[in-house]
Amino acid sequence: MELLKNLKWRYATKKFDTTKKVSHQDLDKIKEAVQLSVSSYGLQLYKVLIIENAQIREQLKPVSWNQSQITDASHLFVFCNYTDASSKTINDFIKHTAKTRNLDLERLYGYGDFIKSKLAEKSPDETTSWLKSQTYLALGNLLNACAELRIDACPMEGFEPEAYNNILGLHQQGLNAAVIAPIGYRHCDDHTIGQQKVRKPMELLFETI
Ligand SMILES: Cc1cc2nc3c(=O)[nH]c(=O)nc-3n(C[C@H](O)[C@H](O)[C@H](O)COP(=O)(O)O)c2cc1C
């Protein structure tokens, strides 16, 4: 299975080669893999920023635990969840579904109402955590797509979300920085290249009932 081979090849890259850039063609494939990610109800309540700008990345580094990947990778992906799921968002999604599948909008009103009623049952904390969790599914696809293309990546939570929100003007757009991933090519001096993967044994990780 190719996926297993790819998963064994990839690792959370600590040091990127600053001279190597991901091509537009590969970037398009990674974006499509992210676009195809699953999400609750299909709502995709997030936006993904792809930051190339060197000055912005210099600003982000000190609020990312000074991790060198922020400035040294080819591109920095910032997965931002929307901070609420408004009725308008759900109405827009229903309209988009009707148009895409050539369906009568009226036939989808019930589904829209069902989504709204289920989301209304969540507490504010549950909503925040639910919205944030959607971005991790997209992150997973990005990591797998990168691995297949032999592009390195590092998933990261080691950053200050509020500082990102301020620097990138995310609050004004109703967004919050949830998780990030620099992508590019490993530096041959990265001391973590080839380290044995540390994973739980199968018998601890799985239980068949
Ligand atoms: C959500 C998340 C956040 C992470 N944050 C960081 C980080 O801030 N910096 C870092 O170098 N690695 C980070 N990692 C990488 C993990 O430490 C790494 O994936 C894990 O140790 C397994 O190693 P592997 O990815 O090399 O197989 C993060 C991973 C995930 C999934």
Side-chain angles (χ1 to χ4, degrees):
M1 185 183 176
E2 279 306 301
L3 179 62
L4 290 180
K5 224 188 275 173
N6 298 339
L7 292 176
K8 286 174 187 165
W9 174 86
R10 66 147 297 282
Y11 74 110
T13 306
K14 304 294 178 218
K15 188 171 180 183
F16 283 89
D17 184 335
T18 54
T19 64
K20 293 187 182 157
K21 291 277 163 231
V22 174
S23 70
H24 285 296
Q25 291 89 329
D26 282 346
L27 208 52
D28 283 346
K29 289 177 194 154
I30 295 165
K31 284 162 71 176
E32 195 172 353
V34 168
Q35 182 194 33
L36 287 167
S37 299
V38 294
S39 62
S40 290
Y41 305 107
L43 287 167
Q44 294 178 290
L45 292 170
Y46 52 83
K47 185 170 176 176
V48 186
L49 304 185
I50 303 170
I51 307 182
E52 288 192 74
N53 184 293
Q55 285 87 31
I56 295 176
R57 281 163 60 174
E58 282 297 338
Q59 276 180 275
L60 294 174
K61 188 177 172 189
V63 293
S64 312
W65 302 1
N66 268 319
Q67 299 187 78
S68 65
Q69 299 100 314
I70 301 298
T71 45
D72 294 354
S74 169
H75 294 76
L76 175 65
F77 280 66
V78 181
F79 294 84
C80 310
N81 61 279
Y82 283 98
T83 50
D84 78 279
S86 64
S87 283
K88 183 186 175 315
T89 306
I90 293 155
N91 293 341
D92 288 348
F93 167 69
I94 295 297
K95 280 186 206 151
H96 183 46
T97 304
K99 196 167 170 224
T100 306
R101 294 188 171 159
N102 203 18
L103 297 170
D104 255 351
L105 183 57
E106 285 87 77
R107 279 186 52 201
L108 294 175
Y109 284 152
Y111 183 49
D113 289 342
F114 172 73
I115 298 174
K116 286 175 202 170
S117 72
K118 289 318 260 175
L119 299 189
E121 288 171 12
K122 291 186 194 293
S123 69
D125 279 353
E126 284 169 341
T127 302
T128 301
S129 135
W130 175 73
L131 286 164
K132 207 178 150 192
S133 64
Q134 306 300 318
T135 62
Y136 285 76
L137 295 162
L139 170 72
N141 272 0
L142 171 128
L143 295 174
N144 292 342
C146 282
E148 185 175 333
L149 294 165
R150 296 297 183 259
I151 290 169
D152 289 295
C154 186
M156 287 179 144
E157 276 176 335
F159 68 98
E160 297 167 35
E162 265 314 299
Y164 267 58
N165 293 343
N166 289 331
I167 293 167
L168 300 171
L170 297 178
H171 279 313
Q172 295 89 310
Q173 302 175 64
L175 291 167
N176 166 66
V179 66
I180 63 175
I183 70 163
Y185 295 92
R186 61 189 71 176
H187 194 288
C188 55
D189 283 350
D190 185 344
H191 67 283
T192 63
I193 293 178
Q195 277 186 344
Q196 195 64 30
K197 288 228 173 283
V198 181
R199 294 296 190 268
K200 285 185 179 178
M202 293 290 186
E203 61 275 17
L204 278 185
L205 194 57
F206 297 98
E207 184 179 346
T208 307
I209 299 172

Coordinates of all heavy atoms in Angstrom, one line a residue, residues 21-103:
K21 N 12.1 25.5 -3.3 CA 10.7 26.0 -3.3 C 9.8 24.9 -3.9 O 10.1 24.2 -4.9 CB 10.5 27.2 -4.2 CG 11.2 28.5 -3.6 CD 10.3 29.2 -2.6 CE 11.1 30.1 -1.7 NZ 10.9 30.0 -0.3
V22 N 8.6 24.8 -3.3 CA 7.6 23.9 -3.9 C 7.0 24.5 -5.1 O 6.7 25.7 -5.2 CB 6.4 23.7 -2.8 CG1 5.3 22.9 -3.4 CG2 7.0 23.0 -1.6
S23 N 6.8 23.7 -6.2 CA 6.4 24.3 -7.5 C 4.9 24.6 -7.4 O 4.1 24.1 -6.6 CB 6.6 23.2 -8.6 OG 5.7 22.1 -8.4
H24 N 4.5 25.4 -8.4 CA 3.0 25.8 -8.5 C 2.2 24.6 -8.7 O 1.1 24.4 -8.2 CB 2.8 26.8 -9.6 CG 3.2 28.2 -9.2 ND1 2.7 28.9 -8.2 CD2 4.2 29.0 -9.7 CE1 3.3 30.1 -8.0 NE2 4.2 30.1 -8.9
Q25 N 2.7 23.7 -9.6 CA 2.0 22.4 -9.9 C 1.7 21.6 -8.6 O 0.6 21.1 -8.4 CB 2.7 21.6 -10.9 CG 2.8 22.2 -12.3 CD 4.0 23.1 -12.5 OE1 4.5 23.7 -11.5 NE2 4.5 23.2 -13.7
D26 N 2.8 21.4 -7.9 CA 2.6 20.6 -6.6 C 1.7 21.3 -5.6 O 0.9 20.7 -4.9 CB 4.0 20.3 -6.0 CG 4.7 19.2 -6.7 OD1 4.1 18.5 -7.5 OD2 5.9 19.1 -6.5
L27 N 1.9 22.6 -5.6 CA 1.0 23.4 -4.6 C -0.5 23.3 -5.0 O -1.3 23.1 -4.1 CB 1.4 24.9 -4.7 CG 1.2 25.8 -3.5 CD1 1.9 25.2 -2.3 CD2 1.8 27.2 -3.7
D28 N -0.7 23.3 -6.3 CA -2.1 23.1 -6.7 C -2.7 21.7 -6.3 O -3.8 21.6 -5.9 CB -2.3 23.2 -8.3 CG -2.2 24.7 -8.7 OD1 -2.3 25.6 -7.8 OD2 -2.0 24.9 -9.9
K29 N -1.8 20.7 -6.4 CA -2.3 19.3 -6.0 C -2.5 19.3 -4.5 O -3.5 18.7 -4.0 CB -1.2 18.3 -6.3 CG -1.1 18.0 -7.8 CD 0.0 17.0 -8.1 CE 0.3 17.1 -9.6 NZ 1.7 16.7 -9.9
I30 N -1.7 19.9 -3.7 CA -1.8 19.9 -2.2 C -3.1 20.7 -1.9 O -3.9 20.3 -1.0 CB -0.6 20.6 -1.6 CG1 0.6 19.7 -1.8 CG2 -0.8 20.8 -0.1 CD1 1.9 20.4 -1.5
K31 N -3.4 21.8 -2.6 CA -4.6 22.6 -2.3 C -5.8 21.8 -2.6 O -6.8 21.8 -1.9 CB -4.6 23.9 -3.2 CG -3.6 24.9 -2.6 CD -3.3 26.0 -3.6 CE -4.4 27.0 -3.9 NZ -3.9 28.1 -4.8
E32 N -5.8 21.0 -3.7 CA -6.9 20.2 -4.1 C -7.2 19.1 -3.0 O -8.3 18.8 -2.7 CB -6.8 19.6 -5.5 CG -8.1 19.1 -6.0 CD -8.0 18.6 -7.5 OE1 -7.0 18.8 -8.1 OE2 -9.0 18.0 -7.9
A33 N -6.1 18.5 -2.5 CA -6.3 17.5 -1.5 C -6.9 18.1 -0.2 O -7.8 17.5 0.4 CB -4.9 16.9 -1.1
V34 N -6.5 19.3 0.1 CA -7.1 20.0 1.2 C -8.6 20.3 0.9 O -9.5 20.1 1.8 CB -6.3 21.3 1.6 CG1 -7.1 22.2 2.6 CG2 -5.0 21.0 2.1
Q35 N -8.9 20.8 -0.3 CA -10.2 21.1 -0.7 C -11.2 19.9 -0.6 O -12.3 20.0 -0.2 CB -10.3 21.6 -2.1 CG -11.6 22.1 -2.6 CD -11.7 22.3 -4.1 OE1 -10.9 21.6 -4.9 NE2 -12.5 23.2 -4.6
L36 N -10.6 18.7 -0.9 CA -11.4 17.5 -0.8 C -11.6 16.9 0.5 O -12.2 15.8 0.7 CB -10.8 16.4 -1.8 CG -10.9 16.8 -3.3 CD1 -10.0 15.9 -4.1 CD2 -12.4 16.6 -3.7
S37 N -11.1 17.6 1.6 CA -11.2 17.0 2.9 C -12.6 16.9 3.4 O -13.5 17.7 3.0 CB -10.4 18.0 3.9 OG -9.1 18.1 3.6
V38 N -12.8 15.9 4.2 CA -14.2 15.7 4.8 C -14.4 16.8 5.8 O -13.4 17.3 6.4 CB -14.3 14.3 5.4 CG1 -14.3 13.2 4.4 CG2 -13.3 14.1 6.5
S39 N -15.6 17.1 6.1 CA -15.9 18.1 7.2 C -17.3 17.8 7.7 O -18.1 17.2 6.9 CB -15.8 19.5 6.7 OG -16.8 19.8 5.7
S40 N -17.6 18.2 8.9 CA -19.0 17.9 9.5 C -20.0 18.5 8.6 O -19.9 19.7 8.3 CB -19.1 18.4 10.9 OG -18.3 17.7 11.8
Y41 N -21.0 17.8 8.2 CA -22.1 18.2 7.3 C -21.6 18.7 6.0 O -22.4 19.2 5.1 CB -23.0 19.3 8.0 CG -23.5 19.0 9.3 CD1 -23.0 19.6 10.5 CD2 -24.6 18.1 9.5 CE1 -23.5 19.3 11.7 CE2 -25.1 17.8 10.7 CZ -24.6 18.4 11.8 OH -25.0 18.1 13.1
G42 N -20.3 18.7 5.8 CA -19.7 19.2 4.5 C -19.6 20.7 4.5 O -19.3 21.3 3.5
L43 N -19.6 21.3 5.7 CA -19.7 22.8 5.8 C -18.3 23.5 5.5 O -18.3 24.7 5.2 CB -20.2 23.2 7.2 CG -21.7 23.0 7.4 CD1 -22.0 23.2 8.9 CD2 -22.5 24.0 6.6
Q44 N -17.2 22.8 5.8 CA -15.9 23.4 5.6 C -15.8 24.8 6.2 O -15.5 25.8 5.5 CB -15.5 23.5 4.1 CG -15.4 22.2 3.4 CD -15.1 22.3 1.9 OE1 -16.0 22.8 1.2 NE2 -13.9 22.1 1.5
L45 N -15.9 24.8 7.5 CA -16.0 26.1 8.2 C -14.6 26.6 8.5 O -14.3 26.9 9.7 CB -16.8 26.0 9.5 CG -18.3 25.7 9.2 CD1 -19.1 25.4 10.4 CD2 -18.9 27.0 8.5
Y46 N -13.8 26.7 7.5 CA -12.4 27.2 7.7 C -11.9 27.8 6.4 O -12.5 27.6 5.3 CB -11.4 26.1 8.3 CG -11.4 24.9 7.4 CD1 -10.7 24.8 6.3 CD2 -12.2 23.8 7.8 CE1 -10.7 23.6 5.5 CE2 -12.2 22.6 7.1 CZ -11.4 22.5 5.9 OH -11.4 21.4 5.2
K47 N -10.8 28.5 6.6 CA -10.1 29.1 5.4 C -8.6 28.8 5.6 O -8.2 28.7 6.8 CB -10.3 30.6 5.4 CG -9.8 31.3 4.2 CD -10.3 32.8 4.2 CE -9.6 33.5 3.1 NZ -10.1 34.8 2.9
V48 N -7.9 28.6 4.5 CA -6.5 28.2 4.7 C -5.6 29.3 4.1 O -5.8 29.6 2.9 CB -6.2 26.9 4.0 CG1 -4.7 26.4 4.3 CG2 -7.2 25.8 4.5
L49 N -4.8 30.0 4.9 CA -3.9 31.0 4.3 C -2.6 30.3 3.9 O -2.1 29.4 4.7 CB -3.6 32.0 5.4 CG -4.7 32.8 6.0 CD1 -4.2 33.9 6.9 CD2 -5.6 33.4 5.0
I50 N -2.0 30.7 2.8 CA -0.7 30.1 2.4 C 0.2 31.3 2.3 O 0.1 32.2 1.5 CB -0.9 29.5 1.0 CG1 -1.9 28.4 1.0 CG2 0.5 28.9 0.5 CD1 -2.3 27.8 -0.4
I51 N 1.1 31.4 3.3 CA 2.0 32.6 3.4 C 3.3 32.3 2.8 O 4.1 31.5 3.2 CB 2.1 32.9 4.9 CG1 0.7 33.0 5.5 CG2 2.8 34.3 5.1 CD1 0.6 33.5 7.0
E52 N 3.6 33.2 1.8 CA 5.0 33.2 1.2 C 5.8 34.3 1.7 O 7.0 34.3 1.8 CB 4.8 33.3 -0.3 CG 4.3 32.0 -1.0 CD 4.4 32.1 -2.5 OE1 5.6 31.9 -3.0 OE2 3.4 32.3 -3.2
N53 N 5.1 35.4 2.0 CA 5.7 36.7 2.3 C 6.7 36.6 3.5 O 6.4 36.2 4.6 CB 4.6 37.7 2.7 CG 5.1 39.1 3.0 OD1 5.8 39.3 3.9 ND2 4.7 40.0 2.1
A54 N 8.0 37.0 3.1 CA 9.1 36.8 4.1 C 9.0 37.7 5.3 O 9.3 37.3 6.4 CB 10.4 37.0 3.4
Q55 N 8.5 38.9 5.1 CA 8.4 39.9 6.2 C 7.3 39.4 7.2 O 7.5 39.4 8.4 CB 8.0 41.3 5.8 CG 9.1 42.1 5.1 CD 9.2 41.8 3.6 OE1 8.2 41.5 3.0 NE2 10.4 41.9 3.1
I56 N 6.2 38.9 6.7 CA 5.1 38.4 7.6 C 5.7 37.2 8.4 O 5.4 37.1 9.6 CB 3.9 38.0 6.8 CG1 3.3 39.3 6.2 CG2 2.8 37.4 7.7 CD1 2.1 39.1 5.3
R57 N 6.4 36.3 7.7 CA 6.9 35.1 8.4 C 7.9 35.5 9.5 O 8.0 34.8 10.5 CB 7.4 34.1 7.4 CG 6.2 33.4 6.8 CD 6.4 32.7 5.5 NE 7.4 31.7 5.6 CZ 7.7 30.9 4.6 NH1 7.1 31.0 3.4 NH2 8.6 30.0 4.8
E58 N 8.7 36.6 9.2 CA 9.7 37.0 10.3 C 8.9 37.5 11.5 O 9.3 37.3 12.6 CB 10.5 38.2 9.7 CG 11.7 37.8 8.8 CD 12.7 36.9 9.5 OE1 12.8 36.9 10.8 OE2 13.4 36.2 8.8
Q59 N 7.7 38.1 11.2 CA 6.9 38.6 12.4 C 6.3 37.4 13.1 O 6.1 37.5 14.3 CB 5.7 39.4 11.8 CG 6.0 40.9 11.6 CD 4.7 41.6 11.1 OE1 4.5 41.5 9.9 NE2 4.0 42.1 12.0
L60 N 6.0 36.3 12.4 CA 5.3 35.2 13.0 C 6.3 34.3 13.8 O 5.9 33.6 14.7 CB 4.6 34.3 11.9 CG 3.4 35.0 11.2 CD1 2.9 34.1 10.1 CD2 2.3 35.3 12.2
K61 N 7.5 34.3 13.4 CA 8.5 33.4 14.1 C 8.6 33.6 15.6 O 8.5 32.6 16.3 CB 9.9 33.5 13.4 CG 10.8 32.5 13.9 CD 12.2 32.7 13.1 CE 13.2 31.7 13.7 NZ 14.5 32.0 13.2
P62 N 8.8 34.8 16.1 CA 8.8 34.9 17.6 C 7.6 34.5 18.3 O 7.7 34.1 19.5 CB 9.1 36.4 17.8 CG 9.0 37.1 16.5 CD 8.9 36.1 15.4
V63 N 6.4 34.5 17.6 CA 5.2 34.0 18.3 C 4.9 32.6 17.9 O 3.8 32.1 18.1 CB 4.0 35.0 18.0 CG1 4.2 36.3 18.7 CG2 3.7 35.1 16.5
S64 N 5.9 31.9 17.4 CA 5.8 30.5 17.1 C 7.0 29.7 17.8 O 7.7 28.9 17.2 CB 5.9 30.3 15.6 OG 5.1 31.1 14.9
W65 N 7.2 30.1 19.0 CA 8.3 29.5 19.8 C 9.6 29.6 19.1 O 10.5 28.7 19.3 CB 8.0 28.0 20.1 CG 6.7 27.7 20.8 CD1 5.7 28.6 21.2 CD2 6.2 26.4 21.2 NE1 4.7 27.9 21.8 CE2 4.9 26.6 21.8 CE3 6.7 25.1 21.1 CZ2 4.1 25.6 22.3 CZ3 5.9 24.1 21.6 CH2 4.7 24.3 22.2
N66 N 9.8 30.6 18.3 CA 11.0 30.8 17.5 C 11.4 29.6 16.7 O 12.6 29.4 16.4 CB 12.2 31.2 18.5 CG 12.3 32.7 18.6 OD1 12.1 33.4 17.6 ND2 12.4 33.1 19.8
Q67 N 10.5 28.8 16.2 CA 10.8 27.6 15.5 C 11.2 28.0 14.0 O 10.5 28.8 13.4 CB 9.6 26.7 15.4 CG 9.2 26.2 16.8 CD 8.1 25.1 16.8 OE1 8.4 24.0 16.6 NE2 6.9 25.5 17.1
S68 N 12.3 27.5 13.6 CA 13.0 28.0 12.4 C 12.1 27.6 11.1 O 12.2 28.3 10.1 CB 14.4 27.4 12.2 OG 14.2 26.0 12.1
Q69 N 11.3 26.6 11.3 CA 10.5 26.2 10.1 C 9.6 27.3 9.6 O 9.3 27.3 8.4 CB 9.6 25.0 10.5 CG 10.3 23.7 10.9 CD 10.3 23.6 12.5 OE1 10.5 24.6 13.1 NE2 10.0 22.4 13.0
I70 N 9.2 28.2 10.5 CA 8.3 29.3 10.1 C 8.9 30.1 8.9 O 8.2 30.5 8.0 CB 7.9 30.2 11.3 CG1 7.3 29.3 12.4 CG2 7.1 31.4 10.9 CD1 6.0 28.7 12.1
T71 N 10.1 30.4 9.1 CA 10.8 31.3 8.1 C 11.5 30.5 7.0 O 11.7 31.0 5.9 CB 11.8 32.3 8.7 OG1 12.6 31.5 9.7 CG2 11.1 33.4 9.4
D72 N 11.9 29.3 7.3 CA 12.8 28.6 6.4 C 12.1 27.7 5.4 O 12.6 27.3 4.3 CB 13.8 27.7 7.2 CG 14.8 28.5 8.0 OD1 14.7 29.8 7.8 OD2 15.5 27.9 8.7
A73 N 10.8 27.3 5.7 CA 10.1 26.4 4.7 C 9.7 27.2 3.5 O 9.8 28.4 3.4 CB 8.8 25.9 5.4
S74 N 9.3 26.5 2.5 CA 8.9 27.1 1.2 C 7.6 27.9 1.4 O 7.5 29.1 0.9 CB 8.8 26.0 0.2 OG 8.2 26.5 -1.0
H75 N 6.6 27.3 2.0 CA 5.3 27.9 2.2 C 4.8 27.6 3.6 O 5.1 26.5 4.1 CB 4.3 27.4 1.2 CG 4.6 27.8 -0.2 ND1 5.5 27.2 -1.0 CD2 4.0 28.7 -1.0 CE1 5.6 27.7 -2.2 NE2 4.7 28.6 -2.3
L76 N 4.1 28.5 4.2 CA 3.5 28.3 5.5 C 2.0 28.3 5.4 O 1.4 29.3 5.0 CB 3.9 29.4 6.5 CG 3.3 29.4 7.9 CD1 3.8 28.1 8.6 CD2 3.7 30.6 8.7
F77 N 1.4 27.1 5.7 CA -0.1 27.0 5.7 C -0.6 27.3 7.1 O -0.1 26.8 8.0 CB -0.5 25.6 5.3 CG -0.5 25.3 3.8 CD1 0.7 25.3 3.1 CD2 -1.6 25.0 3.1 CE1 0.8 25.0 1.8 CE2 -1.6 24.8 1.8 CZ -0.4 24.7 1.1
V78 N -1.6 28.2 7.1 CA -2.2 28.5 8.4 C -3.7 28.1 8.3 O -4.5 28.7 7.5 CB -2.1 30.0 8.8 CG1 -2.8 30.3 10.1 CG2 -0.6 30.4 8.8
F79 N -4.1 27.1 9.0 CA -5.5 26.6 8.9 C -6.3 27.4 10.0 O -6.0 27.4 11.2 CB -5.6 25.1 9.3 CG -4.9 24.3 8.3 CD1 -3.6 24.0 8.3 CD2 -5.7 23.7 7.2 CE1 -2.9 23.3 7.3 CE2 -5.1 22.9 6.3 CZ -3.7 22.7 6.3
C80 N -7.3 28.2 9.5 CA -8.1 29.1 10.3 C -9.5 28.7 10.3 O -10.2 28.6 9.3 CB -8.0 30.5 9.8 SG -6.4 31.1 9.3
N81 N -10.0 28.4 11.5 CA -11.5 28.1 11.6 C -12.3 29.4 11.8 O -11.8 30.4 12.3 CB -11.7 27.2 12.8 CG -11.4 27.8 14.2 OD1 -10.2 27.8 14.5 ND2 -12.4 28.3 14.9
Y82 N -13.5 29.3 11.2 CA -14.5 30.4 11.4 C -14.9 30.3 12.9 O -15.0 29.2 13.5 CB -15.7 30.4 10.5 CG -15.3 30.9 9.1 CD1 -14.9 30.0 8.1 CD2 -15.2 32.3 8.9 CE1 -14.5 30.5 6.8 CE2 -14.8 32.8 7.6 CZ -14.4 31.9 6.6 OH -14.0 32.4 5.4
T83 N -15.1 31.4 13.5 CA -15.4 31.4 15.0 C -16.9 31.2 15.3 O -17.2 31.0 16.4 CB -14.9 32.7 15.7 OG1 -15.3 33.8 14.9 CG2 -13.4 32.7 15.7
D84 N -17.7 31.2 14.3 CA -19.1 30.8 14.5 C -19.7 30.2 13.2 O -19.2 30.5 12.1 CB -20.0 31.9 15.1 CG -20.4 32.9 14.1 OD1 -19.6 33.8 13.8 OD2 -21.5 32.8 13.6
A85 N -20.8 29.4 13.4 CA -21.5 28.9 12.2 C -22.8 29.5 12.2 O -23.8 29.1 12.8 CB -21.6 27.4 12.4
S86 N -22.9 30.7 11.5 CA -24.1 31.5 11.5 C -25.2 30.8 10.6 O -24.9 30.0 9.8 CB -23.8 32.9 11.0 OG -23.4 32.8 9.7
S87 N -26.4 31.3 10.8 CA -27.5 30.8 9.9 C -27.2 31.1 8.5 O -27.5 30.3 7.6 CB -28.8 31.5 10.3 OG -29.3 30.9 11.4
K88 N -26.6 32.3 8.2 CA -26.3 32.7 6.9 C -25.3 31.7 6.2 O -25.4 31.3 5.1 CB -25.7 34.1 6.8 CG -25.4 34.6 5.4 CD -24.7 35.9 5.4 CE -24.3 36.3 4.0 NZ -23.7 35.3 3.2
T89 N -24.3 31.3 7.0 CA -23.3 30.3 6.5 C -24.0 29.0 6.1 O -23.7 28.5 5.0 CB -22.3 30.0 7.6 OG1 -21.8 31.2 8.1 CG2 -21.2 29.1 7.1
I90 N -25.0 28.6 6.9 CA -25.6 27.3 6.6 C -26.6 27.5 5.3 O -26.6 26.7 4.5 CB -26.4 26.8 7.8 CG1 -25.3 26.4 8.8 CG2 -27.3 25.6 7.5 CD1 -25.7 26.4 10.2
N91 N -27.2 28.7 5.3 CA -28.1 29.0 4.1 C -27.2 29.0 2.8 O -27.6 28.5 1.8 CB -28.8 30.3 4.3 CG -29.8 30.3 5.4 OD1 -30.2 29.2 5.8 ND2 -30.2 31.4 5.9
D92 N -26.0 29.6 2.9 CA -25.1 29.7 1.8 C -24.7 28.3 1.3 O -24.6 28.0 0.1 CB -23.9 30.5 2.1 CG -24.2 32.0 2.2 OD1 -25.3 32.4 1.8 OD2 -23.4 32.8 2.7
F93 N -24.4 27.4 2.3 CA -24.0 26.1 2.0 C -25.1 25.3 1.3 O -24.9 24.6 0.3 CB -23.6 25.4 3.3 CG -23.5 23.9 3.2 CD1 -22.4 23.3 2.5 CD2 -24.4 23.0 3.8 CE1 -22.3 22.0 2.4 CE2 -24.3 21.7 3.7 CZ -23.2 21.1 2.9
I94 N -26.4 25.5 1.8 CA -27.5 24.8 1.2 C -27.7 25.3 -0.3 O -27.9 24.5 -1.2 CB -28.8 25.1 2.0 CG1 -28.7 24.5 3.4 CG2 -30.1 24.7 1.4 CD1 -28.6 23.0 3.4
K95 N -27.6 26.6 -0.5 CA -27.7 27.2 -1.8 C -26.6 26.6 -2.7 O -26.9 26.2 -3.9 CB -27.6 28.7 -1.8 CG -28.8 29.4 -1.3 CD -28.7 30.9 -1.5 CE -29.6 31.6 -0.5 NZ -29.1 32.9 0.0
H96 N -25.4 26.5 -2.2 CA -24.3 26.0 -3.0 C -24.5 24.5 -3.4 O -24.2 24.1 -4.5 CB -23.0 26.2 -2.1 CG -21.7 25.8 -2.8 ND1 -21.4 26.1 -4.1 CD2 -20.7 25.0 -2.4 CE1 -20.2 25.6 -4.5 NE2 -19.8 24.9 -3.4
T97 N -25.0 23.8 -2.4 CA -25.3 22.4 -2.6 C -26.4 22.2 -3.7 O -26.2 21.4 -4.7 CB -25.8 21.7 -1.3 OG1 -24.8 21.9 -0.3 CG2 -26.0 20.2 -1.6
A98 N -27.4 23.0 -3.6 CA -28.5 23.0 -4.6 C -28.0 23.3 -6.0 O -28.3 22.6 -7.0 CB -29.6 23.9 -4.2
K99 N -27.2 24.3 -6.1 CA -26.6 24.7 -7.4 C -25.7 23.6 -7.9 O -25.8 23.2 -9.1 CB -25.9 26.0 -7.2 CG -25.6 26.7 -8.5 CD -25.2 28.2 -8.3 CE -24.7 28.7 -9.6 NZ -23.5 29.5 -9.5
T100 N -24.8 23.1 -7.1 CA -23.8 22.1 -7.6 C -24.5 20.9 -8.0 O -24.1 20.3 -9.0 CB -22.8 21.8 -6.4 OG1 -22.3 23.0 -5.9 CG2 -21.7 20.9 -6.9
R101 N -25.5 20.5 -7.3 CA -26.2 19.2 -7.7 C -27.5 19.3 -8.4 O -28.2 18.4 -8.7 CB -26.5 18.4 -6.4 CG -25.2 18.0 -5.7 CD -25.4 17.1 -4.5 NE -24.1 16.6 -4.0 CZ -23.9 16.1 -2.8 NH1 -24.9 16.0 -2.0 NH2 -22.7 15.6 -2.5
N102 N -27.7 20.6 -8.8 CA -28.9 20.9 -9.6 C -30.2 20.4 -9.0 O -31.0 19.7 -9.6 CB -28.7 20.3 -11.0 CG -29.6 20.9 -12.1 OD1 -30.0 22.1 -11.8 ND2 -29.8 20.3 -13.2
L103 N -30.3 20.8 -7.7 CA -31.5 20.4 -6.9 C -32.4 21.6 -6.6 O -31.9 22.7 -6.6 CB -31.0 19.8 -5.6 CG -30.2 18.5 -5.6 CD1 -29.6 18.2 -4.2 CD2 -31.0 17.3 -6.1

